[in-house]
Amino acid sequence: MNIYRVRVGSNAPDRMARVEEAIRRLPAVDWRSEVVESPDWRCPDDPDAMIYANAEVTCHSLLPRDQFRALLKSIETKMGRDRSHPTLVSIDLDLL
């Protein structure tokens, strides 16, 4: 059994719901942080800056690291991640 730590984030208008949905799609989550919202770190004093929602989770899986990473990318794709628009992040799953 492998243990993976995943950071989950979104800056879409429905970011909180997207983060929660992504967490539900992850396998065997046994720990999760609260979801925290924060402004874009590149412009923290700009009231019109994008707001991000982020959380971290711990998952257990039999998948080896490369297959688990592919699973994360698959979840991103199914949830509408479009890397051609890098400023709008519908969902982002990073293996830590």
Side-chain angles (χ1 to χ4, degrees):
M1 184 66 67
N2 298 303
I3 301 171
Y4 296 109
R5 189 89 178 242
V6 179
R7 181 169 294 137
V8 183
S10 174
N11 70 358
D14 58 346
R15 59 192 166 270
M16 296 295 278
R18 287 182 168 276
V19 167
E20 292 295 341
E21 177 61 25
I23 291 171
R24 280 191 292 277
R25 292 181 184 214
L26 291 169
V29 172
D30 70 346
W31 176 87
R32 59 170 287 171
S33 71
E34 65 180 288
V35 181
V36 177
E37 288 188 302
S38 60
D40 187 331
W41 63 270
R42 293 168 291 198
C43 44
D45 299 323
D46 181 355
D48 296 322
M50 284 185 270
I51 303 296
Y52 288 81
N54 292 288
E56 288 186 16
V57 301
T58 301
C59 302
H60 291 258
S61 176
L62 293 174
L63 295 174
R65 188 172 186 82
D66 59 333
Q67 290 179 14
F68 191 81
R69 184 177 287 119
L71 172 66
L72 297 181
K73 297 304 171 200
S74 172
I75 292 170
E76 287 180 340
T77 299
K78 289 175 183 172
M79 290 187 66
R81 176 77 189 257
D82 182 356
R83 293 184 187 280
S84 68
H85 301 307
T87 58
L88 176 60
V89 181
S90 60
I91 195 67
D92 185 32
L93 300 172
D94 294 322
L95 185 56
L96 302 178

